[in-house]
Amino acid sequence: MTSVRTGFCCGKDLGEELKMEKMIAIDTREIPWEEGYNEKLGRMLYRKKLVSDPETGMEVRLVRYPAGVINVRHTHPCAHGMYVLEGTLVTHAGHYAPGSFVWFPEGMAMEHGATAECDVTVLFMTNKPFEIHYQ
């Protein structure tokens, strides 16, 4: 069972009355990894869906690439970012250690994944609906 706690936070816009907005808190340790077979790579990738916005298509999820898995050259019709939590993120432009944030602009041709030595886990976010197009 997934643990999601709801509550309220306060926000005030200039010139507006105080309003209450719903927030969520998720214990990601309680969410099982979803396995997804990537036919292009011939390997499993793993994710935990955290938040999505049906109006904008924005998504936030945890993604884990197993050691040695690199998502080959592709593009997205959305921008997306990866905050490295564990391991080293390998991209077409370099290697990034835990604590690094990498932003990929919409339409950029890219590659990313894990080093041969260990898995990489990232907090993955998009600014609109996610699609992937392999070149």
Side-chain angles (χ1 to χ4, degrees):
M1 183 160 129
T2 302
S3 175
V4 177
R5 291 184 225 154
T6 59
F8 295 93
C9 64
C10 298
K12 187 170 184 176
D13 295 331
L14 293 176
E16 292 185 4
E17 292 186 37
L18 186 66
K19 63 181 180 179
M20 303 297 283
E21 295 179 0
K22 184 178 176 180
M23 64 169 251
I24 61 170
I26 302 167
D27 185 345
T28 62
R29 298 168 298 182
E30 294 184 16
I31 301 171
W33 286 101
E34 295 178 22
E35 295 181 342
Y37 184 76
N38 184 304
E39 289 186 26
K40 184 73 172 176
L41 305 177
R43 298 284 305 270
M44 296 296 271
L45 300 179
Y46 303 88
R47 70 180 179 189
K48 295 182 181 190
K49 295 178 186 177
L50 302 179
V51 176
S52 63
D53 181 346
E55 289 183 26
T56 65
M58 177 280 303
E59 292 182 53
V60 178
R61 58 178 109 151
L62 291 175
V63 175
R64 187 177 79 224
Y65 290 90
V69 174
I70 302 288
N71 205 348
V72 296
R73 189 159 298 271
H74 63 281
T75 62
H76 302 284
C78 60
H80 69 287
M82 294 182 174
Y83 179 77
V84 183
L85 299 168
E86 298 175 332
T88 300
L89 177 66
V90 176
T91 76
H92 61 281
H95 292 58
Y96 302 92
S100 299
F101 179 73
V102 181
W103 186 256
F104 299 92
E106 183 175 318
M108 169 184 260
M110 66 190 76
E111 296 178 357
H112 48 69
T115 65
E117 296 77 33
C118 65
D119 296 357
V120 65
T121 303
V122 300
L123 182 65
F124 178 93
M125 61 217 70
T126 67
N127 66 337
K128 56 187 182 182
F130 178 81
E131 294 177 24
I132 188 165
H133 304 281
Y134 288 101
Q135 299 183 340

